[in-house]
Amino acid sequence: MYGRYGLVLLLTAVAVQNSAAAIGGQYLTTCTAAAVLCGLALAVRRLPWFVAPGLTTVATALWGWPMLPLLLVAVFDMTARRRT
């Protein structure tokens, strides 16, 4: 359980860093806020099963490759729960 939280925290930090680098060095943007929101949705287990995959899919569609690691974690969670 703690390993998963560590992985989600690490990938959220990487997504924030990559999105800030892609935008031009600005950290307070909608892209970085979306990365943090997706990371929180992946970390919280009490949400319905479709919230985290939906958020990460929309964020990846809007902002592209910086959100891809979070999308991969969401897809892995869906596969582990047999929701695909």
Side-chain angles (χ1 to χ4, degrees), residues 2 4-5 7 16 18 24 26-27 33 37 39 43 45 53 57-59 62-64 67 72 77 84:
Y2 293 117
R4 184 182 184 284
Y5 289 139
L7 178 68
V16 167
N18 286 338
Q26 299 176 355
Y27 282 98
L37 184 64
R45 290 294 210 169
T57 301
V58 169
L62 290 176
W63 290 289
M67 302 295 164
L72 294 176
D77 282 347
T84 55

Side-chain angles (χ1 to χ4, degrees), residues 16-17 19-32:
V16 167
Q17 187 74 18
S19 62
I23 289 179
Q26 299 176 355
Y27 282 98
L28 295 176
T29 61
T30 55
C31 186
T32 56

Side-chain angles (χ1 to χ4, degrees), residues 50-81:
F50 55 85
V51 172
L55 282 175
T56 55
T57 301
V58 169
T60 304
L62 290 176
W63 290 289
W65 67 269
M67 302 295 164
L68 195 59
L70 297 174
L71 178 65
L72 294 176
V73 170
V75 170
F76 178 77
D77 282 347
M78 284 178 39
T79 303
R81 295 180 191 173

